[in-house]
Amino acid sequence: ACCQMVEALLAVLILICSSVSYGSTGGYTGLPSLGGIYYYQYGGAYSGLSGADGEKAQQLDHHFYLLKLPIARAAMAVGGCLLVLPCILILVGVLRLPWHFPAWLLLECILDIGIAIGIVPALYYFFHFLLGVYNSSVCKEREQLYQSKGYQGFRCSLHGAEIAAGLSGCIAVMAYLLSAGLSVRGYRTVRKLKQKPVEL
């Protein structure tokens, strides 16, 4: 159950971190339009982008957002699926299904191993896709435009939320493998206990 709670927490982190790329259409177009404190704290920094430069920045931000959108949606979908499974397994444990049907623990072991193996190529694809986006001409042109005005927050490199999502995925692999081992151990324990009902 502890492993399953850790898996659920990691899934939440993956979901939150991947939603950062999904929820923002770009620095220039997003923050100044919010007004209030966001305008004065961030909007003033974009005052140098006006006229043709401002329109170009909006277009580049939008294209860059569209480039990252597919992988952001995919990562959020994976995070959501990884969140549902441990919650179901925790509920199954509360209902004591593994005690009544010990074979369930073997099925859980197979699921855990399958998920752990599946996360590895998913992480590769996640970073491969993102690096392709950051190496694209749109990102390079966007970076140069902002740097020409003295803005340094638009580099074509992985940001913290994307790295955190990847690290959460790596930790999730270890958590699922540990959970698989504990499922086998639990299966053996339940079988022994059910064979000696008198000692209970």
Side-chain angles (χ1 to χ4, degrees):
C2 290
C3 278
Q4 290 160 357
M5 287 189 285
V6 170
E7 292 163 7
L9 176 62
L10 291 170
V12 170
L13 289 175
I14 292 172
L15 191 59
I16 293 172
C17 292
S18 58
S19 68
V20 171
S21 295
Y22 179 81
S24 175
T25 57
Y28 178 74
T29 57
L31 293 174
S33 63
L34 294 176
I37 189 171
Y38 291 100
Y39 178 80
Y40 292 106
Q41 186 174 356
Y42 299 103
Y46 299 94
S47 58
L49 293 173
S50 59
D53 287 339
E55 292 178 5
K56 186 66 174 177
Q58 290 178 358
Q59 292 174 1
L60 290 173
D61 281 342
H62 183 66
H63 289 313
F64 182 67
Y65 167 74
L66 292 178
L67 286 176
K68 293 180 70 175
L69 189 58
I71 194 63
R73 286 181 174 172
M76 290 177 67
V78 169
C81 293
L82 291 178
L83 177 60
V84 170
L85 181 64
C87 292
I88 292 174
L89 294 178
I90 290 171
L91 178 61
V92 167
V94 170
L95 297 176
R96 296 180 58 83
L97 184 63
W99 172 256
H100 299 294
F101 303 100
W104 172 265
L105 291 169
L106 295 180
L107 176 61
E108 186 177 327
C109 174
I110 294 171
L111 284 173
D112 289 336
I113 293 174
I115 292 171
I117 293 173
I119 290 175
V120 175
L123 285 172
Y124 170 80
Y125 178 75
F126 177 73
F127 285 113
H128 179 73
F129 190 95
L130 283 176
L131 290 175
V133 171
Y134 287 124
N135 288 327
S136 66
S137 59
V138 172
C139 185
K140 298 296 184 184
E141 187 178 356
R142 177 176 179 262
E143 180 183 24
Q144 290 174 0
L145 176 62
Y146 282 112
Q147 282 185 347
S148 68
K149 302 297 181 180
Y151 309 136
Q152 303 298 323
F154 302 92
R155 292 188 178 94
C156 292
S157 59
L158 295 171
H159 60 69
E162 293 162 348
I163 295 172
L167 290 176
S168 298
C170 293
I171 298 171
V173 171
M174 295 184 285
Y176 276 102
L177 291 176
L178 178 60
S179 181
L182 292 176
S183 296
V184 174
R185 181 180 176 184
Y187 173 77
R188 293 174 178 171
T189 302
V190 170
R191 287 293 300 272
K192 288 180 181 179
L193 290 175
K194 290 178 79 70
Q195 288 173 359
K196 300 177 181 180
V198 177
E199 296 181 8
L200 291 177

